[in-house]
Amino acid sequence: MKKVYANATEALDGILRDGMLIAAGGFGLCGIPELLLRAIKESGVKDLTFASNNAGVDDFGIGILLQTRQVKKMISSYVGENAEFMRQYLSGELELEFTPQGTLAERMRAGGAGIPGFYTKTGVGTVIAEGKEHKEFNGETYILEEGIFADLAIVKAWKADDTGNLVFRKTARNFNVPAATCGKICVAEVEEIVPRGSLDPDCIHLPGIYVHRVIQGQHEKRIEQRTTRKKEEA
């Protein structure tokens, strides 16, 4: 089975359609599938729902799809750093399903494990719990959260082999692993594709069984918040 594709557009060919649910890895601008997001923008698909911790910034990450009004709904835990995200939400143009970070990660992981739902204490007594089933366990109240089963998962990794085994670099692993597992189809972009057998099995973070298509590309690696000291204070 061919898994390595020439570029993002080719890797997404035949997969994209209007109205689909896409799980995207990344945290802030760390480990985001920027090449695949750009290809999604260029494809023109619309009415998309994204499950992602956040939406990048105004001109990078999922933010570029918000600018073109291709996103109908976000399932996210953080709105900050993206003025267009906030503007569309507050004006009623964008539907937002607020989900605590840990709950979002577990919803993705649950979907990848075939688990339709789970109970958690996170969000009890807040707007997060409104409309959700409540249940008591040992005298404590929990709410039911549903697993995320995405039509497509897009992730960014450091290395891959031609069978789709992935290795992530440090904190860039973040939401990429749970996002990858919950997609019916997973497309990964990587910095380097290495020969089969060259990856230490103990160092593989995501087995190739979860990954259907892989591309290699050049990445911008922006810094979201650059904070430095003055030279004389260093």
Side-chain angles (χ1 to χ4, degrees):
M1 176 182 176
K2 174 187 175 182
K3 290 194 176 182
V4 178
Y5 287 74
N7 53 58
T9 299
E10 183 179 314
L12 292 171
D13 184 45
I15 298 175
L16 297 176
R17 56 177 171 77
D18 292 347
M20 68 190 313
L21 169 57
I22 301 175
F27 186 98
L29 300 184
C30 178
I32 64 172
E34 61 195 71
L35 305 179
L36 292 166
L37 288 169
R38 192 180 307 142
I40 291 173
K41 175 186 175 181
E42 293 170 354
S43 75
V45 291
K46 58 185 185 297
D47 296 328
L48 302 173
T49 296
F50 269 90
S52 174
N53 177 68
N54 55 286
V57 292
D58 289 330
D59 61 345
F60 200 63
I62 297 175
I64 63 174
L65 293 165
L66 291 173
Q67 290 180 332
T68 53
R69 305 297 194 276
Q70 289 171 261
V71 181
K72 176 183 69 175
K73 177 180 178 180
M74 290 293 306
I75 304 173
S76 296
S77 62
Y78 184 59
V79 181
E81 314 304 334
N82 192 319
E84 182 62 17
F85 189 169
M86 290 187 284
R87 190 200 67 75
Q88 288 188 27
Y89 169 60
L90 293 174
S91 66
E93 299 172 44
L94 177 70
E95 186 178 350
L96 174 62
E97 183 178 332
F98 266 129
T99 305
Q101 279 187 350
T103 301
L104 179 60
E106 182 61 12
R107 289 182 66 189
M108 290 180 175
R109 191 205 67 82
I115 299 171
F118 59 92
Y119 289 97
T120 177
K121 291 176 67 176
T122 305
V124 172
T126 73
V127 294
I128 299 296
E130 293 179 2
K132 295 177 181 176
E133 179 187 332
H134 290 58
K135 190 175 180 66
E136 284 198 4
F137 294 92
N138 299 318
E140 298 282 350
T141 302
Y142 293 73
I143 57 175
L144 179 65
E145 294 281 2
E146 296 185 1
I148 292 175
F149 297 84
D151 300 304
L152 169 66
I154 54 173
V155 299
K156 160 71 167 56
W158 181 34
K159 294 182 179 181
D161 62 20
D162 67 335
T163 68
N165 291 317
L166 299 184
V167 177
F168 299 92
R169 181 166 172 77
K170 300 183 179 181
T171 57
R173 192 187 316 186
N174 50 59
F175 275 83
N176 276 299
V177 173
T181 63
C182 75
K184 295 176 183 176
I185 299 174
C186 174
V187 182
E189 61 182 68
V190 301
E191 296 178 35
E192 182 182 7
I193 297 177
V194 300
R196 186 180 306 190
S198 64
L199 295 177
D200 182 345
D202 287 335
C203 294
I204 292 172
H205 298 132
L206 185 70
I209 190 68
Y210 291 105
V211 180
H212 302 84
R213 300 183 181 187
V214 178
I215 64 163
Q216 177 177 306
Q218 297 294 318
H219 297 87
E220 191 171 338
K221 295 188 178 180
R222 290 195 190 186
I223 296 175
E224 187 171 357
Q225 295 285 354
R226 185 183 295 275
T227 305
T228 60
R229 290 180 293 174
K230 293 181 179 179
K231 185 176 181 180
E232 57 270 21
E233 297 174 355

